[in-house]
Amino acid sequence: MRSKVVAGNWKLNGSLAGNESLLKALLREIPRDNPVACVVCVPSPYLAQVRALLEGAGIAWGAQDVSRFDHGAYTGEVSAPMLVEFGCRYVLVGHSERRTIFGESDAIAAQKYVAARKAGLTPIFCVGETLEERDRGETQAVLARQVDALLQAYGAVGLERGVIAYEPVWAIGTGKTASAAQANEAHAFIRARIGAKDAQVAARLPIVYGGSVKAANAAEIFAMPDVDGGLVGGASLVAEEFVAIWRAALGR
Ligand code: 13P
């Protein structure tokens, strides 16, 4: 049985007061011991606050990016060991907004994954095609390129204790969702690509879907055999929505 993960990506949103009321609302609904990991990935300045509110509860936390370097003259970077000091268990790596807006390459994303794993974090490695790439029939080629960068950097065994997020760029923040069948097809392709290197790692690897996941569509997408939960943007900022999405992954 693969573990399931529902992670919220707050992106560049939040405030001390708003975070507190959102997290307190989540804490009322998410039990301490639960079979589906519930995670919030927050802007780094809020990690101390989030840790104080969530320590010992059933919600894990993480950051949205990590440096590929551990320390040194790298102005503006935040390293994986620093995230560990703030109790992070997860970190997003290679989100399409990092790739497209901040010019992060496949190779840099893979190096960030390695840095996160070496520090003991669970990286959530994001892959996905743009609309133009899908229209040109290049979805699988793009996913292969992104996944292969990771396999080359770290090997299939390095994907143990990691998570992959399939986030078609055209579905992020647009209200358009991949159909359950489209999501499953992409997830199965990613799993097979990794499975060609190591079948056991691929079989155990959680692959979550991201891109306009809402309470209204989560159950249908999460019911697909190769979909192991979700990475949720906008809807993770609304407690009732995020809790309902997490419950959909529980299957009830
Ligand atoms: P939305 O759920 O807002 O489409 O964002 C998806 C995403 O980018 C999660 O990382």
Side-chain angles (χ1 to χ4, degrees), residues 4 15 19 99 148 248:
K4 288 189 183 176
S15 64
N19 302 345
R99 293 175 188 263
D148 287 356

Side-chain angles (χ1 to χ4, degrees), residues 9 11 95 97 167 171-173 211-213 231-234:
N9 173 9
K11 306 194 179 184
H95 190 280
E97 286 150 17
E167 295 206 308
I172 294 177
S212 298
V213 176
L231 179 56
V232 186

Side-chain angles (χ1 to χ4, degrees), residues 30-249:
I30 311 282
R32 184 185 297 232
D33 294 310
N34 68 65
V36 173
C38 182
V39 184
V40 289
C41 293
V42 309
S44 291
Y46 296 130
L47 286 171
Q49 180 200 21
V50 170
R51 173 187 206 162
L53 285 162
L54 297 184
E55 192 127 59
I59 305 171
W61 61 95
Q64 299 168 12
D65 187 24
V66 64
S67 180
R68 60 197 204 273
F69 305 110
D70 277 356
H71 54 81
Y74 302 107
T75 302
E77 293 283 272
V78 175
S79 74
M82 291 174 187
L83 297 180
V84 170
E85 283 205 306
F86 282 86
C88 291
R89 290 204 4 237
Y90 293 84
V91 64
L92 303 182
V93 171
H95 190 280
S96 67
E97 286 150 17
R98 302 289 330 159
R99 293 175 188 263
T100 57
I101 304 171
F102 300 100
E104 207 168 286
S105 65
D106 292 328
I108 288 177
Q111 287 169 19
K112 289 182 171 190
Y113 183 101
V114 175
R117 278 291 295 112
K118 286 199 168 140
L121 293 165
T122 297
I124 302 178
F125 188 79
C126 306
V127 298
E129 80 287 0
T130 63
L131 187 57
E132 296 72 38
E133 289 164 340
R134 176 164 280 266
D135 287 346
R136 288 199 300 264
E138 293 171 7
T139 298
Q140 294 194 344
V142 170
L143 296 177
R145 193 195 73 222
Q146 293 170 334
V147 168
D148 287 356
L150 195 52
L151 291 169
Q152 272 158 26
Y154 210 30
V157 171
L159 271 65
E160 229 157 10
R161 299 209 36 233
V163 174
I164 303 264
Y166 169 59
E167 295 206 308
V169 178
W170 49 272
I172 294 177
T174 58
K176 286 188 198 159
T177 326
S179 68
Q182 281 174 324
N184 200 65
E185 189 184 356
H187 287 218
F189 174 79
I190 294 164
R191 199 178 303 288
R193 189 93 189 165
I194 296 163
K197 302 276 182 218
D198 190 319
Q200 281 193 350
V201 167
R204 283 198 299 263
L205 178 70
I207 305 180
V208 302
Y209 170 80
S212 298
V213 176
K214 306 271 182 273
N217 59 28
E220 189 188 352
I221 298 171
F222 294 171
M224 301 307 282
D226 274 299
V227 178
D228 308 308
L231 179 56
V232 186
S236 73
L237 301 171
V238 181
E240 310 80 71
E241 276 280 313
F242 191 55
V243 167
I245 292 166
W246 174 80
R247 288 213 175 103

